[in-house]
Every structure is written in structure tokens, then in C-alpha cells.
Amino acid sequence: MEFEHLVEINDPGNPLIEALSRDQVWSGLMHRVEDARPFLPGLDDCVILARHADGVERSLRFGQAEIRDSVRYLAGFWVSFETPAADDHGGGLLTIRIEEPAAGHLFLRFTYRTVFATGHEQEDAAFSDYLRQAYEAADIDTVRIIRLLAADIPH
């Protein structure tokens, strides 16, 4: 399944929403890389296993389940989370890009590429719709958490 959508960060027409800088948004995304617990409900632990010039390898623990992923990024522009296929998970890729079509008008573009686990090769339309809605809700929540983190970051 492939799916993408935009979440608006700054709405120049709405003075009630505090504008965030690109640096504040990037800082929030990097927080998700370093410690994903605030962003992923049920995540008990997030351990960096290795660091590279353009990313990290992580171990994510949800109760007894451990998932390893690779995170790559281009500072200030995009971050990509890749989970390899396993017996109970088909693997997937999430890329989050910062887009700025006009100065200060920021968006996050979330792009998902997910493979269903073995035995679920047929993509079920109702399940796919449910998954898309869950992704959108989680991504809106990601922006909410970035806003909370940004409140503690100087402009």
C-alpha cells in the first residue's frame, strides 16, 4: 500500500496558530528519531544502536516485541524510517518531508509504503482505508507533539 498526505504547520490566514520555524519543525523531527516514545503510543524503549553521518539504526521495544529500523535524513529537509520485513510485519517505509511553498508557510508531507505481512498479500480496501485514517491521525498527533516540543525551543 502506498499513501501520502500533507499536514499544514503554519497557516498564515489563522493568527490563532503560532507559526513554527523550519528549525523548530526539524528539531521536532529529530526528537522523533532520537526518542520516539512521545510519538508512538505503546513504545516502551527507543535505543540508538549505531550512528552514521546521515542517520541511525534503532531498536524499538513495544512490550515483548522488538522492532529494528533504519533512519536516514537530509538535515532540514526530510527523514525516512525503514523497517525491514519480518514474520509478523511486511516491512515498510515512512518518509517525512518539510515543504515550504511560500516563505514561512510550512507543511509536512508524510509518504508511506507498507507491505502487508505474509498471508495477507491481498490488500483489503476496508483495511487500507482504516490504515490510512490511522496514519493521518498519528501524523496530526506528530505535529501536535512537535508544537509542544517547540514551545521549549527558542524561535
Side-chain angles (χ1 to χ4, degrees):
M1 178 182 86
E2 293 190 18
F3 169 66
E4 80 174 28
H5 68 106
L6 287 170
V7 177
E8 189 172 35
I9 304 294
N10 296 336
D11 179 358
N14 186 348
L16 300 176
I17 297 176
E18 183 176 346
L20 298 180
S21 71
R22 188 180 195 102
D23 288 342
Q24 287 173 305
V25 173
W26 182 250
S27 181
L29 291 175
M30 291 311 299
H31 189 100
R32 183 174 171 160
V33 170
E34 294 291 329
D35 182 7
R37 289 177 297 171
F39 297 90
L40 299 174
L43 180 63
D44 296 315
D45 203 13
C46 175
V47 176
I48 305 296
L49 303 172
R51 292 187 182 277
H52 311 287
D54 64 346
V56 299
E57 308 295 321
R58 306 184 304 179
S59 169
L60 307 173
R61 190 173 50 77
F62 297 86
Q64 299 298 326
E66 179 186 7
I67 296 172
R68 292 189 178 217
D69 69 357
S70 297
V71 182
R72 301 286 175 258
Y73 51 80
L74 178 59
F77 293 95
W78 58 265
V79 61
S80 180
F81 304 85
E82 185 168 11
T83 306
D87 290 341
D88 58 348
H89 186 274
L93 178 68
L94 163 61
T95 302
I96 306 171
R97 287 181 169 72
I98 299 174
E99 296 186 4
E100 191 171 7
H105 196 181
L106 298 174
F107 291 83
L108 287 181
R109 179 177 300 276
F110 294 83
T111 304
Y112 290 89
R113 201 171 38 194
T114 302
V115 178
F116 293 104
T118 304
H120 302 282
E121 287 81 12
Q122 292 292 84
E123 186 173 318
D124 178 87
F127 180 70
S128 293
D129 286 344
Y130 171 78
L131 201 54
R132 285 181 180 99
Q133 290 173 10
Y135 285 160
E136 284 185 29
D139 299 339
I140 290 167
D141 202 44
T142 288
V143 171
R144 181 188 65 78
I145 294 165
I146 288 172
R147 286 190 171 286
L148 290 172
L149 292 168
D152 294 331
I153 300 170
H155 291 63

